[in-house]
Amino acid sequence: MTNLISDAFIQAKELVMKAMGELVADGTFPAEPVPAFNPEIPADSKNGDVSTNAAMVCARPFRNNPRKIAEAIVSKIDLNGSYFARCEVAGPGFINFFYSSEWYATVVATVLEQKEKYGETDLGTGKSVLVEFVSANPTGPMHIGNARGGALGDSLSSVLQFAGYDVEREFYVNDAGNQIEKFGCSLEARYLQIFKGDEIEFPEDGYQGEDIKDLAKEYADLNGDSLVNVSAEERKKALVDYALPKNIKKMQADMEKYKIFYDKWFFESELHKSGAVKAVVDLLTKKGLTYEKDGAVWYKNKEVLTQKLLKEGKSQKYIDNLELKDDVLIRQNGNPTYFTADIAYHKNKFDRGFTTLIDVWGADHHGHVMRMKGAMDAIGYDGDKLNVVLMQLVKLVKDGELVRMSKRTGKAIQLGDLLDEVPVDSARFLFNTKEANTQMDFDLDLAVSQDNQNPVYYVQYAHARICSIFKSLAKEGISPRECTDAELALLTAPEEKELINHLASYTNEIISAAKDYDPTKVTRYVTQLATLFHKFYNACRVKGEEEGLMQARLALCNCVRAVIKNVLTMFNISCPESM
């Protein structure tokens, strides 16, 4: 698994350290410990490809001017056999390295050799991750926020897999608890209204959506008034048993249409049936972390989090300002709360052997993060291994104005409506262009446009354009072949170097996206790759050049095509060869 930029950083550091060693040996510098320093990529390419502040951090131990230290180091550096053509001193004492033509040639050769494997890393080797995302309430249709969460969670899973992690995707179905009771009461009221009219009052906290009316009517059309004269419990159970599987099946169909395929659909009801929810209450009680008040069982959340935060070095004043409160585990009616089931669910995840848990939640759940991490600590797990990606709201925009209702249905826009109006590729790509922690305006006009303003079209077009170049040349009897190192070393134009540098950074982009749980970095990377390719192709002629240079440029085109396909395939987005 090659990372040529990382290799260059290591080599630059070794060259500097070797030169310092020689300067200490000949008495130029005193034999003092060298402070830590790291090479980096300069913001301005005029300052080289790799830069280091080694001379500046050594000013104190070497008791000398940083620039003089840098000049002495550079005078001792031997670049023979290295990735660099030259190095020079800049400003107050930066040492800047410039890649050799051989390094650029190595990048092209590496991409061509590794093809679809290029960019893979061993960052996550031996680590298993469970990514839970969307997990929409099954009592109603999925909404636009679920579309964003789906694209984010699925793309993050793919990035983590590419970075070497063993990843599983999971959808948590809340098919038990208070929301299902409310679902049943709502269905019951709508069903009885069909036969008894307005004399049946609708629950004040019931689900008001048209989908509830539709489900009740479907049941009535199939079964008539068979439930009118049975007990309320029997009636609600029959309606829920009919409606809930239909809703879940619709969610599964929507996810598949969205090209999201889960390894497991985990049902909350399984936790209740297995006794896992009761077991977690018993465990907390055994640890002295529960108490009874007003007929309910409470969890000592405030005590647990206070101890956790004090260990982390937080002040009591900081903790007091959080206004921590305890949480109900078992209600007065004997039913467990959602929080209790959630503790049992996350315990189940850890018990399955995952080393890291990642949840993608809406930003409205931000207050739930700390207490869930604390609860994991409380039951004997490491809460820091639970990582939550908080996702901000999405607004739909058309013609510059906010869209709330579907023109087709006259109802609030659902995920299914969106996927009927917008190409799946476009939705998946666009929802993955903004970091999760930023609010997003999803432009419906942009999503359906087939021009370079649409980012996914722009990237797909770059791939198709490269395919077209090869097809056109093939008609003239010109085929790409393997290039010699000397031919690849002909790629010296500024646009070629800039493009190759970007290709070389792909592995680091994967690593960064995986570490930060931010797949949008890869989306931005491939968009920039398309931009740099168009810039290169407009500046550097391929056909009609001398054979060696033409073949080198074809090789570079092939590299870009491979990496674009690599990213789009990773994100489950189509990669057309013609447009």
Side-chain angles (χ1 to χ4, degrees):
M1 295 179 181
T2 308
N3 186 338
L4 290 167
I5 288 183
S6 177
D7 291 348
F9 278 14
I10 292 170
Q11 195 176 92
K13 191 169 185 176
E14 288 174 348
L15 289 168
V16 170
M17 290 297 291
K18 183 173 183 293
M20 283 184 179
E22 292 178 14
L23 290 164
V24 169
D26 68 14
T28 303
F29 295 153
E32 296 287 345
V34 174
F37 69 93
N38 286 304
E40 61 181 20
I41 298 174
D44 188 342
S45 60
K46 292 178 182 176
N47 294 323
D49 299 300
V50 177
S51 182
T52 177
N53 65 344
M56 297 160 79
V57 300
C58 288
R60 178 170 292 179
F62 288 175
R63 297 185 287 279
N64 212 322
N65 178 283
R67 187 171 178 92
K68 289 184 177 179
I69 295 172
E71 288 170 349
I73 292 171
V74 168
S75 72
K76 291 288 187 179
I77 289 177
D78 180 6
L79 295 176
N80 285 326
S82 76
Y83 285 136
F84 306 105
R86 72 181 199 275
C87 64
E88 58 188 36
V89 179
F94 290 104
I95 301 173
N96 297 335
F97 293 84
F98 295 79
Y99 290 134
S100 66
S101 57
E102 288 78 16
W103 183 84
Y104 289 102
T106 301
V107 173
V108 174
T110 300
V111 177
L112 292 175
E113 179 187 353
Q114 297 184 359
K115 297 177 183 174
E116 70 275 2
K117 297 288 187 182
Y118 178 67
E120 287 187 353
T121 81
D122 57 3
L123 177 71
T125 300
K127 300 171 186 173
S128 58
V129 181
L130 180 63
V131 184
E132 182 222 324
F133 58 103
V134 180
S135 298
N137 193 326
T139 58
M142 288 193 285
H143 52 72
I144 301 307
N146 299 138
R148 185 179 192 185
L152 174 64
D154 197 40
S155 299
L156 173 57
S157 300
S158 296
V159 167
L160 290 168
Q161 284 175 311
F162 209 68
Y165 291 88
D166 182 12
V167 179
E168 288 191 24
R169 296 163 170 83
E170 187 156 294
F171 191 116
Y172 181 48
V173 183
N174 301 122
D175 64 331
N178 191 52
Q179 70 273 8
I180 298 301
E181 175 63 26
K182 189 189 297 186
F183 184 51
C185 291
S186 304
L187 287 166
E188 178 189 35
R190 292 308 187 199
Y191 173 81
L192 291 175
Q193 284 175 350
I194 294 171
F195 300 101
K196 296 188 177 184
D198 292 339
E199 70 176 83
I200 302 298
E201 288 189 19
F202 192 78
E204 190 175 322
D205 64 344
Y207 294 122
Q208 298 282 350
E210 290 295 314
D211 58 293
I212 299 293
K213 291 180 180 178
D214 293 341
L215 288 165
K217 185 176 184 304
E218 283 178 24
Y219 187 92
D221 289 345
L222 286 170
N223 300 285
D225 64 355
S226 61
L227 296 179
V228 170
N229 295 316
V230 303
S231 70
E233 286 308 307
E234 185 179 342
R235 184 163 47 242
K236 286 187 286 188
K237 183 179 185 307
L239 288 165
V240 169
D241 286 349
Y242 170 78
L244 192 61
K246 288 180 73 73
N247 279 1
I248 293 171
K249 188 175 181 181
K250 176 68 165 59
M251 289 196 304
Q252 291 172 330
D254 282 345
M255 288 291 97
E256 288 186 13
K257 185 175 181 179
Y258 203 23
K259 299 190 198 177
I260 296 176
F261 304 94
Y262 289 94
D263 296 288
K264 186 175 181 65
W265 289 70
F266 191 105
F267 291 84
E268 181 186 341
S269 56
E270 295 176 11
L271 295 170
H272 294 273
K273 290 174 185 175
S274 68
V277 178
K278 180 181 181 302
V280 87
V281 177
D282 292 343
L283 177 58
L284 288 168
T285 300
K286 186 178 179 182
K287 289 176 175 286
L289 295 174
T290 67
Y291 61 93
E292 291 189 24
K293 186 178 78 171
D294 301 328
V297 178
W298 293 71
Y299 161 61
K300 297 179 181 178
N301 177 63
K302 184 176 180 179
E303 177 184 315
V304 169
L305 289 183
T306 296
Q307 291 175 359
K308 179 181 175 69
L309 292 168
L310 287 172
K311 285 180 182 178
E312 292 175 359
K314 298 293 191 294
S315 68
Q316 189 61 52
K317 183 178 180 181
Y318 170 87
I319 296 169
D320 291 342
N321 287 336
L322 293 175
E323 298 182 351
L324 299 172
K325 297 177 181 178
D326 290 343
D327 289 295
V328 175
L329 294 176
I330 304 294
R331 297 186 182 91
Q332 290 173 319
N333 61 9
N335 292 331
T337 61
Y338 177 84
F339 179 54
T340 313
D342 218 19
I343 296 173
Y345 174 48
H346 284 83
K347 178 180 183 299
N348 176 281
K349 291 181 183 182
F350 278 122
D351 287 344
R352 281 183 268 160
F354 294 102
T355 53
T356 302
L357 308 182
I358 300 174
D359 293 352
V360 179
W361 293 350
D364 56 330
H365 287 75
H366 72 278
H368 191 50
V369 177
M370 188 186 297
R371 63 178 187 160
M372 183 52 64
K373 284 174 169 282
M376 291 300 99
D377 290 336
I379 60 174
Y381 297 84
D382 184 353
D384 289 336
K385 290 182 178 178
L386 166 61
N387 301 276
V388 179
V389 178
L390 292 175
M391 180 186 65
Q392 292 289 343
L393 294 172
V394 179
K395 297 177 185 176
L396 288 184
V397 176
K398 186 174 177 62
D399 298 325
E401 296 189 0
L402 194 63
V403 178
R404 297 187 186 277
M405 310 296 284
S406 167
K407 285 187 177 180
R408 181 175 62 82
T409 65
K411 303 173 186 176
I413 293 180
Q414 303 169 6
L415 173 61
D417 298 325
L418 181 73
L419 299 182
D420 287 339
E421 294 184 29
V422 172
V424 172
D425 284 350
S426 197
R428 288 180 62 94
F429 197 93
L430 286 172
F431 276 122
N432 199 38
T433 55
K434 298 276 188 180
E435 294 96 333
N437 62 2
T438 59
Q439 288 197 3
M440 180 179 189
D441 289 346
F442 186 91
D443 191 326
L444 290 167
D445 296 315
L446 180 64
V448 298
S449 66
Q450 295 189 12
D451 57 39
N452 286 339
Q453 295 303 307
N454 183 343
V456 71
Y457 182 94
Y458 182 67
V459 173
Q460 289 173 324
Y461 176 70
H463 182 270
R465 187 178 189 183
I466 296 169
C467 292
S468 176
I469 292 168
F470 284 104
K471 288 176 187 174
S472 177
L473 290 173
K475 290 177 182 178
E476 299 180 31
I478 301 173
S479 300
R481 59 166 172 75
E482 188 173 342
C483 294
T484 65
D485 291 343
E487 287 172 332
L488 292 177
L490 297 172
L491 299 170
T492 57
E495 295 81 8
E496 292 167 334
K497 287 184 173 182
E498 188 178 21
L499 182 55
I500 296 170
N501 254 319
H502 195 67
L503 288 168
S505 70
Y506 180 49
T507 303
N508 280 344
E509 211 63 61
I510 291 290
I511 292 171
S512 177
K515 284 182 175 179
D516 295 343
Y517 302 150
D518 182 11
T520 65
K521 291 185 174 187
V522 182
T523 309
R524 289 192 295 274
Y525 169 87
V526 77
T527 305
Q528 179 65 6
L529 178 60
T531 296
L532 293 176
F533 169 74
H534 293 309
K535 181 179 177 182
F536 148 76
Y537 192 68
N538 291 334
C540 301
R541 187 173 59 177
V542 176
K543 180 186 171 185
E545 287 290 354
E546 177 272 326
E547 166 71 11
L549 180 57
M550 179 185 71
Q551 287 294 339
R553 286 179 174 168
L554 284 175
L556 181 52
C557 289
N558 226 347
C559 288
V560 176
R561 177 169 63 172
V563 174
I564 290 176
K565 185 175 182 179
N566 180 316
V567 173
L568 294 182
T569 302
M570 186 198 322
F571 287 161
N572 219 351
I573 293 170
S574 63
C575 203
E577 294 188 0
S578 62
M579 294 177 73

